[in-house]
Amino acid sequence: MARPRPEPIQVVKHRRDAALRALVDGVPYIRFLNISFDRRGDELTGVLNFDDKLIGNPLLPAIHGGVTAAFLEVTAVITLSWEHMFPRIESGQIDADAIMTDKSIRFPKTIDFTVDYLRSGLPRDAYARAFINRAGRRYASVRVEAWQDHHSKLFAQGTGHFLMPQNRTDKS
């Protein structure tokens, strides 16, 4: 019995990138903050692209604490959503065009989110990576780290708990 031939890597990469782009572009607040995601294999890195509107204290200048918290939470939610949807994206059950329009596709909901501000966010691009501590059927726990120039010098970190989406049995 012959194995089916695998898809060309360009097709797989295009499908993954289109799904991630649809996931990120479907949320207006993510677009407003100009957050993007860099995907390398199965690892996502959030990028908060610097803009003057992100400054909270012009005397320092420093990135606003609310922007920092939102960046950490967005990184956690997108990473958790990506991990949750990835098998269905790979199998073709979820098309990139359907991610934001299909009512059966649901996203994790934040239960709580705690941020530790370790130092001021400088007026430059920031990066964040989320680590899923636990992701069950109903609940997930995620830790997020944010840095700017050096990954070893975090400027903020966060921990969040999320209610995982339940599969819908009806199509209403």
Side-chain angles (χ1 to χ4, degrees), residues 19-38 44-51 53-54 66-67 69-82 85 99-100 107-108 110:
L20 180 60
R21 194 169 35 259
L23 188 63
V24 172
D25 290 346
V27 182
Y29 191 56
I30 295 174
R31 288 194 317 262
F32 173 76
L33 291 178
N34 196 14
I35 298 172
S36 58
F37 284 84
D38 182 31
L44 295 180
T45 301
V47 181
L48 176 64
N49 300 292
F50 179 74
D51 189 335
K53 70 182 176 192
L54 304 177
V67 170
F71 176 49
L72 292 171
E73 186 174 358
V74 162
T75 301
V77 169
I78 293 296
T79 300
L80 197 55
S81 297
W82 181 254
M85 292 182 196
I99 284 181
M100 295 314 290
F107 299 91
T110 304

Side-chain angles (χ1 to χ4, degrees), residues 87-123:
R88 293 188 295 161
I89 291 169
E90 283 299 291
S91 68
Q93 288 177 327
I94 297 177
D95 183 40
D97 297 332
I99 284 181
M100 295 314 290
T101 58
D102 189 342
K103 299 292 185 203
S104 68
I105 298 173
R106 302 176 66 198
F107 299 91
K109 305 286 187 233
T110 304
I111 297 171
D112 66 20
F113 198 80
T114 304
V115 178
D116 297 325
Y117 299 96
L118 305 174
R119 60 180 48 116
S120 295
L122 301 173

Side-chain angles (χ1 to χ4, degrees), residues 39 72 126 157:
R39 184 189 61 77
L72 292 171
Q157 62 187 12

Side-chain angles (χ1 to χ4, degrees), residues 119 122 124-127 145-156:
R119 60 180 48 116
L122 301 173
R124 56 183 63 127
D125 291 351
Y127 308 94
E145 298 176 346
W147 68 95
Q148 289 184 306
D149 294 326
H150 303 286
H151 188 248
S152 62
K153 293 184 179 180
L154 303 180
F155 77 96

